[in-house]
Amino acid sequence: MKITAYILIITVIFFILMPNTFWWKYLSADIFLVNIIVVVFLLATFKKLWVGLTFLLPLLAIVPFELFYINTYGRPSDAHIFGVLAETNVTESGEFLIGVNPWLILGLLTPILVVIFIIKKSFKENWLWNNKQRRLTLILGWLVAGIFILPETLSESVAGLPVNNDSLIMGNQETSLASASLENSYPIGIPFRINSFINQSRGLKQAQAIVNDFKFNATQNPVMAGRQIHVLVIGETGRPDHWQLNGYTRPTNPQLSNIPDVISLTNVISGWAWTRMAVPIMITRKPASTTTAFFNEKSLVSAYREAGFKTYWLSTQGPLGVHESSIALHAHEAHETKFLNKVDYRGSGAHDGVLLQPLQDILEKNELKQLIVLHTLGGHYNYADRHPPEFNVFTPSLTGFNGANMYDRTQKTLMVNSYDNSIVYTDYFLAEVIQRLKATRSPATLLYSADHGENLFDNECDKSGHGHGTEYDFRVASLWWNSAEYADLQPEKVAYIRTRQDMPLTTEHTFYTMLDAANIEYPVKDKRKSILSSTWLSHPRWTQGDMMSLGLDFDTSPRDAVCKQLLPPSGRTTVQ
């Protein structure tokens, strides 16, 4: 082949590898090299260059979408986006590209046109591989596969999601800024991402099959005449001491503070500091002391369905993944389930405000009985990604800051300001939900609770994020609101919850309180766990501890002096 042919082939290889240049700082040199070798290996599979180039064309066709995704959401595509697209119809999937500049699309498609020209040229001039070069390339490709790709495939961590695998709860931070694995590279990562999606989907279906026949035998008793709406907002990473409603000196709740009948529940804890474990104990009867990832009962969504309610689950979190699947299992119990974020918590993606219009659409259906679950991203790191620019109230912040690192204590001021800005946006979001419920002039309730708290390099502590077993991990923001119409129908329940505003509560009360709010009865109902009930009783508040001391009582366990980490009683240091 002439030197021109080599230059043109190198151009093709560069176009295919282009997504890696946008993600270069998270990929090591050896991963770059592996991708180059694999592309050349695929090209060398065929003696005639035009055949190999045509074989590579599908990989090139995906490049514009991958570049668009990285540019829009700040990270490569993954199993999450496959899950989101699988959950939506063709029209909704098309919205993924709405608003893209046509010139950008043309620019991204240009490489495809260039490569088609090169294919035609190679066909016309009959470019052929040199036998020796081709043989060496194929040998090198097989060596790379054996050294790098095969081990990665065999050690793939998400080979389905075992229902009773305690290892799913272990590990440190849920937050993973970026992995330098082959899965995040291109084009090698695409098969890994598809495999992750298939395996996670299979694991989710297996878990669903186990609980498929479960029934609460729930009914509404007494039946509430007329329309009624109940909303559960599952928050994310919400510290109560950063809420103005709870005495925080900053105005982080400017709107909720001016809404009558908002009751801030000031003394609520979560038993777990990880979403995948914390949310199921909110929406099911799963005890906080249970350490398996999945629970063999359905959630409050199914109880509402059995009682005659139309049920909805709207989410800005994910439909798949180690962190999400135990929750998605219950999301799919709803009549209608929508995942409205095209990226998971590791990217900027959509803000929680995207849930408002679908919520409004549901309310305008005027169905007599509705349960609506809104699962938000709230204040999950990167906090600057959780709110639009106009909510960048406290500065300097992480907004527009390059090099954000949640483990860098020198960024504490930026982190705290951005975290507080995420709460200001949560305040706006909750206020908007309440105003929409008020506008229906119907009996309506809203219960909000964050899944877990957050560490923010408090005092002299060196911990940030969550999962450290500190008091900041477990205390969560929570509030209740009901319409005037609901108070007229259920004055006793409203009176009871007002008396429990400062009582020691846990997110385990969520399931029981939500059912009690709608008068939903079922066999062996435990009204002592509903904070709307006259028979409510306080009980020990169990937490995960520091993973070396499972089963710590939040209220009686001693604390580390610096980080407020919960400690086991004297002499107890092993998992119970």
Side-chain angles (χ1 to χ4, degrees), residues 216-235:
F216 288 100
N217 296 314
T219 58
Q220 190 178 46
N221 184 27
V223 175
M224 295 170 62
R227 189 179 186 190
Q228 53 196 290
I229 309 163
H230 300 280
V231 175
L232 171 63
V233 182
I234 303 172

Side-chain angles (χ1 to χ4, degrees), residues 34-258:
V34 168
N35 277 272
I36 293 172
I37 293 173
V38 166
V39 172
V40 176
F41 171 81
L42 294 174
L43 193 58
T45 303
F46 305 92
K47 175 73 173 178
K48 295 182 177 181
L49 265 296
W50 74 267
V51 179
L53 291 170
T54 304
F55 183 74
L56 293 178
L57 203 55
L59 292 178
L60 188 68
I62 301 174
V63 167
F65 298 98
E66 187 70 9
L67 292 177
F68 167 76
Y69 194 87
I70 293 173
N71 180 67
T72 304
Y73 301 111
R75 61 170 292 103
S77 63
D78 54 16
H80 171 88
I81 187 60
F82 292 113
V84 171
L85 294 177
E87 295 291 335
T88 57
N89 56 40
V90 175
T91 301
E92 291 170 331
S93 297
E95 294 174 357
F96 178 54
L97 296 174
I98 287 179
V100 181
N101 189 311
W103 290 105
L104 175 61
I105 294 177
L106 181 61
L108 294 174
L109 293 179
T110 298
I112 297 179
L113 299 177
V114 172
V115 172
I116 291 175
F117 166 78
I118 296 173
I119 291 173
K120 287 184 176 181
K121 188 173 180 62
S122 66
F123 174 77
K124 184 178 180 180
E125 299 186 8
N126 195 30
W127 293 348
L128 300 173
W129 272 95
N130 175 284
N131 287 331
K132 185 177 180 180
Q133 291 175 345
R134 181 171 177 242
R135 189 161 44 249
L136 289 174
T137 301
L138 292 173
I139 292 172
L140 182 60
W142 285 114
L143 286 174
V144 165
I147 296 172
F148 291 95
I149 301 175
L150 185 59
E152 184 86 3
T153 304
L154 294 176
S155 64
E156 182 71 18
S157 61
V158 189
L161 291 170
V163 177
N164 292 310
N165 186 354
D166 288 359
S167 66
L168 287 178
I169 70 169
M170 301 300 180
N172 195 12
Q173 277 294 115
E174 281 187 300
T175 304
S176 175
L177 298 180
S179 170
S181 68
L182 288 173
E183 187 170 345
N184 278 333
S185 66
Y186 190 87
I188 293 177
I190 295 299
F192 284 105
R193 299 171 207 177
I194 295 174
N195 184 57
S196 291
F197 167 69
I198 293 172
N199 283 329
Q200 291 173 32
S201 298
R202 184 184 299 122
L204 185 58
K205 289 178 181 179
Q206 290 172 352
Q208 287 175 324
I210 290 175
V211 300
N212 192 48
D213 295 328
F214 178 84
K215 291 187 180 300
F216 288 100
N217 296 314
T219 58
Q220 190 178 46
N221 184 27
V223 175
M224 295 170 62
R227 189 179 186 190
Q228 53 196 290
I229 309 163
H230 300 280
V231 175
L232 171 63
V233 182
I234 303 172
E236 170 70 64
T237 317
R239 275 181 60 154
D241 60 338
H242 279 244
W243 283 53
Q244 179 185 355
L245 289 174
N246 298 328
Y248 192 44
T249 55
R250 281 180 158 180
T252 53
N253 300 125
Q255 298 197 42
L256 290 175
S257 296
N258 292 312

Side-chain angles (χ1 to χ4, degrees), residues 314-329:
L314 307 177
S315 176
T316 48
Q317 300 227 4
L320 288 171
V322 174
H323 304 312
E324 293 90 4
S325 288
S326 60
I327 302 163
L329 169 69

Side-chain angles (χ1 to χ4, degrees), residues 477-532:
S478 183
L479 63 83
W480 165 274
W481 172 87
N482 58 262
S483 66
E485 292 80 4
Y486 182 84
D488 289 340
L489 290 176
Q490 304 282 1
E492 298 88 357
K493 291 181 179 179
V494 174
Y496 284 130
I497 197 168
R498 287 189 178 279
T499 66
R500 282 137 195 180
Q501 182 173 0
D502 301 314
M503 292 288 189
L505 307 174
T506 80
T507 55
E508 286 181 277
H509 293 121
T510 305
F511 174 92
Y512 305 93
T513 300
M514 286 297 299
L515 266 61
D516 200 6
N519 292 339
I520 295 177
E521 301 284 338
Y522 55 92
V524 200
K525 179 178 178 181
D526 191 350
K527 292 187 177 181
R528 296 173 301 174
K529 294 184 178 180
S530 166
I531 54 178
L532 297 172

